[in-house]
Amino acid sequence: MIQQGIPETSPRPKSVVTISKNNIIQEMPNLNIKNLRNESNTWTHLLRSMSDENIVMKTRLSEMLQEDFDIALLPRVEHFHSLLLTEEEFINLLRHNIAELDHKLDSEQTYINPNEPGVDYMSSRLQQQMITADIRFRKLKSDFYKFLTRTEENSM
């Protein structure tokens, strides 16, 4: 049977079906899935940028140690190195979480166990984590470059 010119054998558009804790079945429209994919891509690009900047800062610390280095600054250098490593771990964790969300979105139809986090929950949690990551990283970057500026001013 053909409805409105579409054969019955044509594939249905991808959708995500969730089952809430109250056993209510909800279907997420394609538009929402497309928005989540776009948001996921944006987050991935932001994390890539943060990761690149993290590498630049670690490289700058390494260069600093190779120059005429004031040994009294070593605790601060170690502190920033530790913060940069922690931030790298956080970025990798967020990448993993985004990949999990993408995997759920890529399924033809995803039936979600009510005891597992759903797509909406994962998305809103990731959104909060990305906000936190951005704030943390901006502060780290600001503190790092203030430290470098003070260090360079004192060495002149």
Side-chain angles (χ1 to χ4, degrees):
M1 174 180 202
I2 297 177
Q3 290 182 341
Q4 299 176 4
I6 301 173
E8 205 172 304
T9 58
S10 68
R12 275 190 71 195
K14 289 187 179 184
S15 62
V16 175
V17 176
T18 61
I19 303 172
S20 70
K21 291 189 187 263
N22 300 335
N23 291 325
I24 298 171
I25 297 174
Q26 301 170 323
E27 188 166 338
M28 193 178 292
N30 285 340
L31 181 60
N32 195 14
I33 293 172
K34 185 177 180 181
N35 290 342
L36 288 173
R37 286 183 198 285
N38 288 337
E39 193 166 35
S40 173
N41 288 336
T42 300
W43 292 336
T44 300
H45 290 296
L46 177 61
L47 290 177
R48 189 175 303 126
S49 173
M50 290 168 66
S51 182
D52 290 346
E53 289 184 63
N54 191 306
I55 291 168
V56 167
M57 289 187 282
K58 285 190 279 188
T59 301
R60 185 60 191 112
L61 280 180
S62 175
E63 291 169 351
M64 188 179 181
L65 291 172
Q66 294 171 8
E67 299 166 358
D68 291 332
F69 178 70
D70 181 359
I71 197 72
L73 296 174
L74 188 58
R76 292 287 293 159
V77 170
E78 289 175 339
H79 172 72
F80 278 111
H81 186 255
S82 175
L83 290 175
L84 290 168
L85 290 176
T86 300
E87 211 56 33
E88 182 180 0
E89 290 173 5
F90 190 49
I91 289 168
N92 289 334
L93 173 66
L94 290 172
R95 282 183 174 151
H96 172 77
N97 292 348
I98 290 169
E100 283 185 342
L101 176 63
D102 287 344
H103 177 73
K104 283 193 181 239
L105 293 174
D106 287 341
S107 301
E108 182 71 28
Q109 284 217 328
T110 305
Y111 294 96
I112 301 168
N113 183 327
N115 297 322
E116 293 179 14
V119 172
D120 284 337
Y121 172 78
M122 289 175 71
S123 174
S124 66
R125 184 165 177 214
L126 262 168
Q127 188 174 41
Q128 290 303 313
Q129 290 173 335
M130 290 301 298
I131 290 168
T132 300
D134 188 47
I135 292 168
R136 279 175 42 164
F137 194 77
R138 286 175 191 261
K139 177 161 178 21
L140 172 60
K141 200 166 101 171
S142 174
D143 291 348
F144 179 79
Y145 285 110
K146 283 178 190 174
F147 167 71
L148 281 184
T149 301
R150 276 185 261 142
T151 304
E152 289 170 357
E153 287 172 355
N154 291 339
S155 66
M156 291 182 178

